[in-house]
Amino acid sequence: MEAVVIYESIFGNTGAIAQAIADGLAQDLTVRTVQLPSHSPADDVGAADLVVLGGPTHAFGMSRRSTREEAAHRQGHGHPVEASGLREWLEALTDEAGGRSACVFDTRARSFRYLPGSAAGSASRLMRERGFHLIDEPRSFYVTDMEGPLAAGEIARAKDWGAHLGKAVSLARQHE
């Protein structure tokens, strides 16, 4: 059984969370990770039994070209701006990839913890529209400021969530 963790990461925090989730999943499943942008959503999903999708929350939702430009500006002169991210990946995803188990996560600043809107919430709606079966509620992992670092304990929490997801998918397959 295979899982794929597909993520967008600008400051590296979402990438660290994605790797921790992959480490947890690897206790029960074979795991691949894909950092966006990529060449083909269909190839990214491949034959995976579980798709875990994540990205940073920008302006209370998934990143856009303008928010990626702002983030690149924060990183300093000359930092490349990615033309696409999680939003564009989901828009390019075809319905044939649906019918699989999936879950969604994001990273967001702790100071905005109780404000509405998140990348995971928006992405989960689009995943459902594409026919994916969400097996858990969207998860947010927190950074201490816009650029990070990750809040204390978030790597361990992400790894634990990945282990939980891996066990759930593995048990579900055994009962089919």
Side-chain angles (χ1 to χ4, degrees):
M1 295 193 27
E2 182 184 21
V4 60
V5 180
I6 302 167
Y7 66 96
E8 173 187 0
S9 187
I10 296 173
F11 296 110
N13 300 302
T14 309
I17 293 296
Q19 186 58 57
I21 292 168
D23 291 346
L25 287 165
Q27 295 174 22
D28 289 289
L29 307 172
T30 301
V31 182
R32 291 183 295 119
T33 59
V34 176
Q35 183 171 0
L36 300 176
S38 68
H39 298 292
S40 164
D43 289 344
D44 296 342
V45 171
D49 300 289
L50 173 65
V51 177
V52 181
L53 188 64
T57 297
H58 285 196
F60 311 113
M62 293 181 285
S63 73
R64 294 180 296 285
R65 174 78 183 191
S66 62
T67 63
R68 289 190 295 273
E69 287 172 353
E70 181 183 325
H73 178 74
R74 285 175 164 280
Q75 290 180 318
H77 183 70
H79 195 303
V81 177
E82 296 296 347
S84 65
L86 187 61
R87 176 186 305 270
E88 293 82 5
W89 187 91
L90 281 163
E91 290 171 354
L93 186 64
T94 61
D95 292 341
E96 296 95 48
R100 300 163 200 260
S101 296
C103 40
V104 184
F105 73 95
D106 65 22
T107 53
R108 57 194 310 191
R110 185 172 289 283
S111 59
F112 299 121
R113 184 177 196 162
Y114 300 107
L115 292 177
S118 74
S122 302
S124 65
R125 284 187 295 280
L126 288 172
M127 292 290 280
R128 278 191 202 96
E129 288 175 12
R130 296 288 193 274
F132 285 85
H133 303 289
L134 296 180
I135 63 169
D136 203 350
E137 293 296 315
R139 292 287 165 106
S140 290
F141 296 92
Y142 298 100
V143 294
T144 59
D145 196 14
M146 295 285 272
E147 293 112 24
L150 288 164
E154 293 301 88
I155 293 289
R157 196 165 73 86
K159 185 174 181 179
D160 289 347
W161 187 55
H164 165 76
L165 295 171
K167 284 183 188 354
V169 169
S170 183
L171 286 172
R173 285 286 188 211
Q174 290 174 6
H175 290 96
E176 287 183 353

